Amino acid sequence: MAAVPTYNDNELYESFKSGDLKAFRALYEKYWKPLFNFSFNILKEEQDAEDIVQEVFSMLWEKRLDIEVHNLQAFLMTACKHRILKQIDRSKVKGRYLESLSSHLQQANQEHLLIDKEYNMLFNQEVDKLPRKMKQIYLLRSNEELSYLEIAEKLSIGENTVRKQLHNARTILKAKLSALLSILIVYLNF
């Protein structure tokens, strides 16, 4: 980049206002570091400080024809300060939102655990109500993960009998537990 002759802020600002990118770059290079340090000292987050400075210079470029600046350094520092305050407000709101979300998630997790515990208890009660042989076949399949053939051999019954008994057990449990689960969810939400 060609060296920019030394101009004071007012001369650079007037050149910049008319669209001179070299003047804008000179202002950017002169004020970026002080604005960054100012922002970083308050926010203590490098990325947030960089974003603030970038926003200030973007605003300066976009509004160059609409704003009248008499003291560029004071204007930039004030613009930076306002954006820092907005960032702090957003962080506070974000913090409150995250606290609230965390609280809701904990509550939802506790409710989920309660529903899960209640559901398991009801499920086990319904399994206990199955006819003795059907219950035995169901438990061998679900708890011990035996195949149809292994269950048939263990109980000395046909493999088709095992299939039929498991089908019947699942149908009974599904019918009873879907209704119970709906009632349980409604009950826990009150």
PDB file of all heavy atoms in Angstrom, residues 167-183:
ATOM      1  N   HIS A 167     -46.110 -62.362  20.725  1.00  0.00           N
ATOM      2  CA  HIS A 167     -47.000 -61.446  20.016  1.00  0.00           C
ATOM      3  C   HIS A 167     -48.179 -61.041  20.915  1.00  0.00           C
ATOM      4  O   HIS A 167     -48.511 -59.863  21.037  1.00  0.00           O
ATOM      5  CB  HIS A 167     -47.503 -62.072  18.708  1.00  0.00           C
ATOM      6  CG  HIS A 167     -48.513 -61.227  18.016  1.00  0.00           C
ATOM      7  ND1 HIS A 167     -48.167 -60.085  17.323  1.00  0.00           N
ATOM      8  CD2 HIS A 167     -49.864 -61.331  17.934  1.00  0.00           C
ATOM      9  CE1 HIS A 167     -49.260 -59.536  16.842  1.00  0.00           C
ATOM     10  NE2 HIS A 167     -50.311 -60.271  17.195  1.00  0.00           N
ATOM     11  N   ASN A 168     -48.768 -62.021  21.562  1.00  0.00           N
ATOM     12  CA  ASN A 168     -49.903 -61.758  22.456  1.00  0.00           C
ATOM     13  C   ASN A 168     -49.476 -60.890  23.650  1.00  0.00           C
ATOM     14  O   ASN A 168     -50.188 -59.970  24.046  1.00  0.00           O
ATOM     15  CB  ASN A 168     -50.526 -63.066  22.945  1.00  0.00           C
ATOM     16  CG  ASN A 168     -51.240 -63.810  21.834  1.00  0.00           C
ATOM     17  OD1 ASN A 168     -51.550 -63.244  20.786  1.00  0.00           O
ATOM     18  ND2 ASN A 168     -51.487 -65.098  22.053  1.00  0.00           N
ATOM     19  N   ALA A 169     -48.311 -61.186  24.214  1.00  0.00           N
ATOM     20  CA  ALA A 169     -47.806 -60.419  25.362  1.00  0.00           C
ATOM     21  C   ALA A 169     -47.588 -58.961  24.956  1.00  0.00           C
ATOM     22  O   ALA A 169     -47.993 -58.033  25.671  1.00  0.00           O
ATOM     23  CB  ALA A 169     -46.510 -61.034  25.885  1.00  0.00           C
ATOM     24  N   ARG A 170     -46.968 -58.734  23.813  1.00  0.00           N
ATOM     25  CA  ARG A 170     -46.708 -57.361  23.341  1.00  0.00           C
ATOM     26  C   ARG A 170     -48.009 -56.624  23.067  1.00  0.00           C
ATOM     27  O   ARG A 170     -48.130 -55.440  23.364  1.00  0.00           O
ATOM     28  CB  ARG A 170     -45.824 -57.406  22.099  1.00  0.00           C
ATOM     29  CG  ARG A 170     -44.399 -57.793  22.419  1.00  0.00           C
ATOM     30  CD  ARG A 170     -43.529 -57.786  21.179  1.00  0.00           C
ATOM     31  NE  ARG A 170     -42.199 -58.268  21.491  1.00  0.00           N
ATOM     32  CZ  ARG A 170     -41.559 -59.184  20.790  1.00  0.00           C
ATOM     33  NH1 ARG A 170     -42.111 -59.736  19.725  1.00  0.00           N
ATOM     34  NH2 ARG A 170     -40.350 -59.565  21.140  1.00  0.00           N
ATOM     35  N   THR A 171     -48.982 -57.324  22.492  1.00  0.00           N
ATOM     36  CA  THR A 171     -50.279 -56.700  22.198  1.00  0.00           C
ATOM     37  C   THR A 171     -50.967 -56.284  23.493  1.00  0.00           C
ATOM     38  O   THR A 171     -51.476 -55.162  23.602  1.00  0.00           O
ATOM     39  CB  THR A 171     -51.173 -57.682  21.397  1.00  0.00           C
ATOM     40  OG1 THR A 171     -50.500 -58.036  20.195  1.00  0.00           O
ATOM     41  CG2 THR A 171     -52.507 -57.063  21.067  1.00  0.00           C
ATOM     42  N   ILE A 172     -50.968 -57.163  24.480  1.00  0.00           N
ATOM     43  CA  ILE A 172     -51.590 -56.856  25.776  1.00  0.00           C
ATOM     44  C   ILE A 172     -50.878 -55.685  26.447  1.00  0.00           C
ATOM     45  O   ILE A 172     -51.509 -54.727  26.906  1.00  0.00           O
ATOM     46  CB  ILE A 172     -51.568 -58.104  26.697  1.00  0.00           C
ATOM     47  CG1 ILE A 172     -52.502 -59.173  26.149  1.00  0.00           C
ATOM     48  CG2 ILE A 172     -51.930 -57.736  28.130  1.00  0.00           C
ATOM     49  CD1 ILE A 172     -52.334 -60.539  26.818  1.00  0.00           C
ATOM     50  N   LEU A 173     -49.543 -55.740  26.501  1.00  0.00           N
ATOM     51  CA  LEU A 173     -48.778 -54.683  27.173  1.00  0.00           C
ATOM     52  C   LEU A 173     -48.932 -53.342  26.464  1.00  0.00           C
ATOM     53  O   LEU A 173     -49.076 -52.299  27.114  1.00  0.00           O
ATOM     54  CB  LEU A 173     -47.298 -55.077  27.258  1.00  0.00           C
ATOM     55  CG  LEU A 173     -46.989 -56.252  28.184  1.00  0.00           C
ATOM     56  CD1 LEU A 173     -45.530 -56.663  28.049  1.00  0.00           C
ATOM     57  CD2 LEU A 173     -47.323 -55.907  29.630  1.00  0.00           C
ATOM     58  N   LYS A 174     -48.906 -53.375  25.160  1.00  0.00           N
ATOM     59  CA  LYS A 174     -49.039 -52.134  24.393  1.00  0.00           C
ATOM     60  C   LYS A 174     -50.390 -51.483  24.660  1.00  0.00           C
ATOM     61  O   LYS A 174     -50.466 -50.271  24.903  1.00  0.00           O
ATOM     62  CB  LYS A 174     -48.877 -52.418  22.897  1.00  0.00           C
ATOM     63  CG  LYS A 174     -48.923 -51.191  22.035  1.00  0.00           C
ATOM     64  CD  LYS A 174     -48.689 -51.562  20.580  1.00  0.00           C
ATOM     65  CE  LYS A 174     -48.783 -50.346  19.696  1.00  0.00           C
ATOM     66  NZ  LYS A 174     -48.619 -50.687  18.285  1.00  0.00           N
ATOM     67  N   ALA A 175     -51.445 -52.257  24.648  1.00  0.00           N
ATOM     68  CA  ALA A 175     -52.788 -51.724  24.876  1.00  0.00           C
ATOM     69  C   ALA A 175     -52.915 -51.127  26.275  1.00  0.00           C
ATOM     70  O   ALA A 175     -53.423 -50.020  26.452  1.00  0.00           O
ATOM     71  CB  ALA A 175     -53.831 -52.812  24.672  1.00  0.00           C
ATOM     72  N   LYS A 176     -52.453 -51.844  27.276  1.00  0.00           N
ATOM     73  CA  LYS A 176     -52.590 -51.373  28.661  1.00  0.00           C
ATOM     74  C   LYS A 176     -51.676 -50.199  28.957  1.00  0.00           C
ATOM     75  O   LYS A 176     -52.074 -49.244  29.612  1.00  0.00           O
ATOM     76  CB  LYS A 176     -52.323 -52.510  29.635  1.00  0.00           C
ATOM     77  CG  LYS A 176     -53.401 -53.568  29.591  1.00  0.00           C
ATOM     78  CD  LYS A 176     -53.252 -54.508  30.746  1.00  0.00           C
ATOM     79  CE  LYS A 176     -54.381 -55.519  30.654  1.00  0.00           C
ATOM     80  NZ  LYS A 176     -54.934 -55.835  31.936  1.00  0.00           N
ATOM     81  N   LEU A 177     -50.446 -50.256  28.461  1.00  0.00           N
ATOM     82  CA  LEU A 177     -49.471 -49.225  28.818  1.00  0.00           C
ATOM     83  C   LEU A 177     -49.645 -47.925  28.045  1.00  0.00           C
ATOM     84  O   LEU A 177     -49.326 -46.861  28.555  1.00  0.00           O
ATOM     85  CB  LEU A 177     -48.054 -49.770  28.668  1.00  0.00           C
ATOM     86  CG  LEU A 177     -47.725 -50.851  29.693  1.00  0.00           C
ATOM     87  CD1 LEU A 177     -46.376 -51.463  29.407  1.00  0.00           C
ATOM     88  CD2 LEU A 177     -47.758 -50.292  31.100  1.00  0.00           C
ATOM     89  N   SER A 178     -50.147 -47.978  26.833  1.00  0.00           N
ATOM     90  CA  SER A 178     -50.347 -46.724  26.107  1.00  0.00           C
ATOM     91  C   SER A 178     -51.400 -45.889  26.812  1.00  0.00           C
ATOM     92  O   SER A 178     -51.258 -44.669  26.949  1.00  0.00           O
ATOM     93  CB  SER A 178     -50.709 -46.971  24.648  1.00  0.00           C
ATOM     94  OG  SER A 178     -51.929 -47.664  24.555  1.00  0.00           O
ATOM     95  N   ALA A 179     -52.455 -46.505  27.304  1.00  0.00           N
ATOM     96  CA  ALA A 179     -53.485 -45.777  28.055  1.00  0.00           C
ATOM     97  C   ALA A 179     -52.917 -45.281  29.383  1.00  0.00           C
ATOM     98  O   ALA A 179     -53.137 -44.132  29.773  1.00  0.00           O
ATOM     99  CB  ALA A 179     -54.689 -46.679  28.294  1.00  0.00           C
ATOM    100  N   LEU A 180     -52.159 -46.124  30.075  1.00  0.00           N
ATOM    101  CA  LEU A 180     -51.571 -45.721  31.355  1.00  0.00           C
ATOM    102  C   LEU A 180     -50.558 -44.591  31.191  1.00  0.00           C
ATOM    103  O   LEU A 180     -50.494 -43.681  32.016  1.00  0.00           O
ATOM    104  CB  LEU A 180     -50.900 -46.924  32.023  1.00  0.00           C
ATOM    105  CG  LEU A 180     -51.841 -47.980  32.597  1.00  0.00           C
ATOM    106  CD1 LEU A 180     -51.050 -49.194  33.059  1.00  0.00           C
ATOM    107  CD2 LEU A 180     -52.649 -47.413  33.749  1.00  0.00           C
ATOM    108  N   LEU A 181     -49.783 -44.644  30.136  1.00  0.00           N
ATOM    109  CA  LEU A 181     -48.791 -43.599  29.903  1.00  0.00           C
ATOM    110  C   LEU A 181     -49.475 -42.257  29.664  1.00  0.00           C
ATOM    111  O   LEU A 181     -49.042 -41.239  30.190  1.00  0.00           O
ATOM    112  CB  LEU A 181     -47.883 -43.956  28.722  1.00  0.00           C
ATOM    113  CG  LEU A 181     -46.753 -42.986  28.436  1.00  0.00           C
ATOM    114  CD1 LEU A 181     -45.836 -42.845  29.647  1.00  0.00           C
ATOM    115  CD2 LEU A 181     -45.948 -43.425  27.229  1.00  0.00           C
ATOM    116  N   SER A 182     -50.536 -42.254  28.897  1.00  0.00           N
ATOM    117  CA  SER A 182     -51.282 -41.011  28.657  1.00  0.00           C
ATOM    118  C   SER A 182     -51.806 -40.441  29.958  1.00  0.00           C
ATOM    119  O   SER A 182     -51.685 -39.239  30.220  1.00  0.00           O
ATOM    120  CB  SER A 182     -52.444 -41.263  27.698  1.00  0.00           C
ATOM    121  OG  SER A 182     -51.969 -41.691  26.456  1.00  0.00           O
ATOM    122  N   ILE A 183     -52.370 -41.296  30.797  1.00  0.00           N
ATOM    123  CA  ILE A 183     -52.895 -40.844  32.095  1.00  0.00           C
ATOM    124  C   ILE A 183     -51.753 -40.335  32.971  1.00  0.00           C
ATOM    125  O   ILE A 183     -51.870 -39.299  33.625  1.00  0.00           O
ATOM    126  CB  ILE A 183     -53.654 -41.994  32.796  1.00  0.00           C
ATOM    127  CG1 ILE A 183     -54.935 -42.310  32.017  1.00  0.00           C
ATOM    128  CG2 ILE A 183     -53.977 -41.643  34.248  1.00  0.00           C
ATOM    129  CD1 ILE A 183     -55.618 -43.595  32.442  1.00  0.00           C
TER     130      ILE A 183
END
